[in-house]
Amino acid sequence: MTKNISYILLIALVFYSCTKKKEIALVFLDEYIVKDSLAIENSFIGGLSGIDYSNGFFYFVVDDSEKPRFLRAEIDIKQDKINSVNFKNVVYLNDTTTSFYNENILDLESIFIDKETEEVNFVSEGSILKGKKPSVFTTDSLGNFLRSYVLPNYFIPNTIPKLKHNGIFEGSSKGVNGKGFWVAMESPLIVDGDEPSFKKTSSPIRITYFDKKSKKAIKQFAYQLEHITKPSQGKINLNGLTSILEYKENHFFIIERTYQSGYGNYGNGIKIFDAYIDETTTNILEVESLKETDFTSLRKRLIFDFEEVRGQLTKGIVDNIEGVTFGPKLANGNQSLILVSDDNFQLYGKQLNQIILLEIEK
């Protein structure tokens, strides 16, 4: 009888081991620093706030509202190392045949490419201080305007203060189903919650799915930002979402960046979360204020903290990571991730154009 029970327990253990889902993990492989004052076609390389990979090329969007543009580059990856980054050309958004570029402030934060048509899609924060709304729009490969997407009313500035300057649209991701894409906010709407602080507050940002056919938002979900844990040493202490990437349907890599003044070159803290939508997650598309309703946010878990690899980075610095994309497959068959930092054109002091190579380990 004892032998039979032991045998049954062994079979059950083997079955459990085979059916138990292995959690996804990220592994640091390499860092590459684009040298200071590097220029292409009279454009300094800097302000790289978003990245996408398509048809063998990497596309970087430049956060410069005076001269909105994007760069096309090749990144050579061999033996789990970034050997070189070769910027090929720069494309300016200066289409004079449309009024869209003149009517909007193009504070570009994210970019993704349609693999079939090579159309280029952008997310812009606009300028809330100047009453200019954020926008989501598409151009051709030469930067000529093609179309824009309709935004829900709560994303449009009016007399009711609900939008925070420099805290609106920040990240975007192609949808894995090919029918639409996701756009994520950096900070909560004023009517939704509080900025993350040292206290555990409700700080939900909205992640919106846009349908390519109707050119409208058709669903939306809340994602709770983490509170700040490192001691304050200056007046600026903030945390927000900087990038999002859907890796399978309704499952995302989400980057949160904490910035605190008073720490010099070590003021940034970067964490990557695995977050997902399930049947319990509330569709909040028609909800005007999250402070006034009950809702269920995306589930999330921490899968990578850059604090653990500071010793492998240049001078121990993790910079202002604002973009993430899938890269090419690695030699072992695993998928790579490429991350990029925005050096703010070094307007606020020494920063790095930092490109990070990670491996998705399943």
Side-chain angles (χ1 to χ4, degrees):
M1 186 70 174
T2 303
K3 287 183 179 179
N4 289 339
I5 293 174
S6 298
Y7 179 75
I8 292 171
L9 288 174
L10 178 61
I11 294 297
L13 180 61
V14 171
F15 178 78
Y16 175 77
S17 298
C18 292
T19 57
K20 185 176 183 291
K21 178 186 174 184
K22 184 178 179 182
E23 292 186 330
I24 199 166
L26 300 179
V27 178
F28 174 83
L29 296 180
D30 197 22
E31 173 207 48
Y32 183 95
I33 303 298
V34 178
K35 66 180 182 180
D36 289 347
S37 302
L38 181 65
I40 178 173
E41 299 175 9
N42 297 317
S43 174
F44 282 108
I45 306 301
L48 306 178
S49 63
I51 185 174
D52 192 29
Y53 179 63
S54 180
N55 295 323
F57 290 95
F58 288 87
Y59 295 78
F60 298 86
V61 69
V62 178
D63 186 2
D64 179 3
S65 60
E66 297 297 320
K67 295 180 180 179
R69 59 195 183 275
F70 66 94
L71 309 171
R72 193 168 63 104
E74 291 179 330
I75 299 179
D76 181 40
I77 299 171
K78 286 186 176 68
Q79 297 180 338
D80 297 344
K81 298 291 182 183
I82 301 174
N83 292 321
S84 64
V85 178
N86 182 18
F87 291 95
K88 308 294 287 186
N89 64 296
V90 56
V91 178
Y92 289 90
L93 307 190
N94 55 7
D95 186 354
T96 58
T97 65
T98 177
S99 61
F100 180 84
Y101 290 172
N102 292 326
E103 292 172 355
N104 292 273
I105 291 179
L106 302 184
D107 185 1
L108 306 178
E109 296 291 348
S110 188
I111 185 172
F112 60 95
I113 313 300
D114 188 301
K115 187 175 182 179
E116 302 300 324
T117 65
E118 294 194 349
E119 292 177 347
V120 188
N121 301 275
F122 298 94
V123 165
S124 168
E125 280 198 305
S127 175
I128 305 308
L129 292 179
K130 296 181 179 179
K132 296 292 186 178
K133 63 182 177 62
S135 58
V136 181
F137 65 98
T138 305
T139 76
D140 64 17
S141 61
L142 299 177
N144 298 306
F145 176 80
L146 294 178
R147 71 189 72 92
S148 62
Y149 287 78
V150 179
L151 304 182
N153 287 333
Y154 39 74
F155 290 140
I156 299 173
N158 56 27
T159 55
I160 302 173
K162 55 187 180 298
L163 301 161
K164 298 172 184 175
H165 182 73
N166 204 33
I168 312 303
F169 294 163
E170 185 72 20
S172 65
S173 173
K174 288 174 281 195
V176 297
N177 63 13
K179 297 178 181 179
F181 55 89
W182 300 90
V183 173
M185 299 179 63
E186 180 176 358
S187 303
L189 291 174
I190 294 171
V191 294
D192 285 346
D194 300 317
E195 292 274 5
S197 69
F198 294 97
K199 297 186 296 183
K200 289 189 176 182
T201 57
S202 179
S203 303
I205 54 97
R206 297 178 183 239
I207 298 175
T208 308
Y209 183 82
F210 287 85
D211 175 61
K212 290 200 293 188
K213 186 176 181 179
S214 67
K215 301 178 182 59
K216 293 181 179 179
I218 61 171
K219 55 186 175 180
Q220 184 185 86
F221 304 93
Y223 171 88
Q224 287 280 1
L225 295 170
E226 298 292 294
H227 72 288
I228 297 169
T229 58
K230 208 158 96 172
S232 172
Q233 290 193 10
K235 293 182 179 180
I236 302 175
N237 296 277
L238 55 85
N239 183 54
L241 179 149
T242 61
S243 199
I244 182 172
L245 183 66
E246 188 177 32
Y247 68 87
K248 73 176 183 179
E249 192 154 13
N250 293 328
H251 288 70
F252 308 90
F253 296 128
I254 291 180
I255 297 178
E256 292 188 38
R257 176 210 54 214
T258 299
Y259 174 72
Q260 296 178 268
S261 60
Y263 283 91
N265 291 334
Y266 306 97
N268 289 308
I270 306 293
K271 295 179 180 179
I272 305 177
F273 293 86
D274 181 8
Y276 64 93
I277 298 163
D278 64 15
E279 64 278 358
T280 69
T281 316
T282 309
N283 184 351
I284 58 169
L285 184 63
E286 303 300 328
V287 178
E288 293 287 334
S289 171
L290 294 179
K291 284 183 177 179
E292 299 174 3
T293 189
D294 293 327
F295 62 93
T296 300
S297 304
L298 276 78
R299 299 181 185 276
K300 62 185 288 194
R301 70 180 181 90
L302 178 66
I303 57 172
F304 193 83
D305 188 343
F306 271 86
E307 291 300 319
E308 298 176 2
V309 297
R310 274 194 185 272
Q312 301 176 64
L313 302 175
T314 299
K315 297 181 179 179
I317 296 170
V318 54
D319 219 302
N320 182 30
I321 302 293
E322 290 201 350
V324 61
T325 186
F326 296 115
K329 289 288 182 68
L330 299 168
N332 63 5
N334 283 350
Q335 179 66 59
S336 69
L337 282 182
I338 304 290
L339 290 74
V340 65
S341 69
D342 176 358
D343 73 340
N344 296 304
F345 293 102
Q346 308 209 37
L347 294 175
Y348 310 109
K350 174 67 177 176
Q351 286 188 257
L352 304 174
N353 281 320
Q354 193 171 38
I355 296 175
I356 304 291
L357 175 64
L358 301 181
E359 175 184 358
I360 302 176
E361 192 176 72
K362 296 182 180 180

